[in-house]
Amino acid sequence: MVDNAQTQYAVEQMISGANVDEHTSRETALVAARAADDRKADNVMVLRVSEVSYLADYFVIVTGFSQAQLRAISLAISNQVEMELERLPLRVEGQNEGNWVLMDYGDVIVHILLPEGRDFYKLEAFWGHAERVDWQFD
């Protein structure tokens, strides 16, 4: 869970623009994808949406199979991104509800969904015109 100190740090990062460039955005997305994979997330997908959206540079979309796994995946991503890139999410939504966890790094948005939610929202189809990034071999 993100505490007040983490929130303040994230706000300072956002205001200063520190650590936010195309390379860092890509690295954040790749680290998030690998961390999700390490927690046995299914169908891990990284989309470069910077050319088709102003929302973010990258989306990471993954499937987990239980509420506990969604939380474990989000914590693994948060810990790994912080350890490797010294970045914290600006906000995390849905960790308590457990149906769809959204992690917002500003330039990278991570979506962690249960299979039913992923099938219903079809984010990768909606953003199908975005470039797919091969996160396993990059």
Side-chain angles (χ1 to χ4, degrees):
M1 173 139 329
V2 178
D3 63 20
N4 287 337
Q6 289 176 317
T7 301
Q8 181 61 36
Y9 169 83
V11 168
E12 289 170 4
Q13 293 298 306
M14 189 170 61
I15 291 169
S16 71
N19 297 328
V20 180
D21 59 20
E22 176 61 28
H23 176 74
T24 302
S25 296
R26 183 178 182 85
E27 284 303 308
T28 301
L30 296 176
V31 169
R34 292 179 188 128
D37 186 58
D38 287 346
R39 285 288 176 203
K40 307 296 184 216
D42 190 45
N43 198 10
V44 177
M45 183 177 296
V46 176
L47 299 175
R48 183 172 171 256
V49 296
S50 60
E51 300 296 319
V52 296
S53 173
Y54 64 89
L55 296 174
D57 293 335
Y58 291 88
F59 281 175
V60 179
I61 306 169
V62 307
T63 301
F65 296 102
S66 69
Q67 293 176 347
Q69 187 185 21
L70 297 184
R71 284 190 298 275
I73 291 167
S74 70
L75 290 172
I77 291 170
S78 181
N79 291 338
Q80 197 66 32
V81 170
E82 181 179 7
M83 185 176 73
E84 288 189 32
L85 302 172
E86 298 179 350
R87 295 190 71 188
L88 296 170
L90 301 174
R91 65 191 131 276
V92 177
E93 298 292 334
Q95 231 171 10
N96 294 329
E97 296 82 26
N99 298 319
W100 180 351
V101 177
L102 184 134
M103 304 177 73
D104 182 0
Y105 284 91
D107 54 332
V108 176
I109 300 175
V110 180
H111 302 271
I112 310 165
L113 300 106
L114 290 173
E116 311 81 58
R118 188 148 180 187
D119 289 343
F120 181 79
Y121 290 105
K122 299 185 186 311
L123 295 176
E124 56 268 34
F126 186 78
W127 296 102
H129 50 293
E131 173 190 347
R132 290 187 184 209
V133 176
D134 187 355
W135 58 271
Q136 293 174 312
F137 300 107
D138 197 301

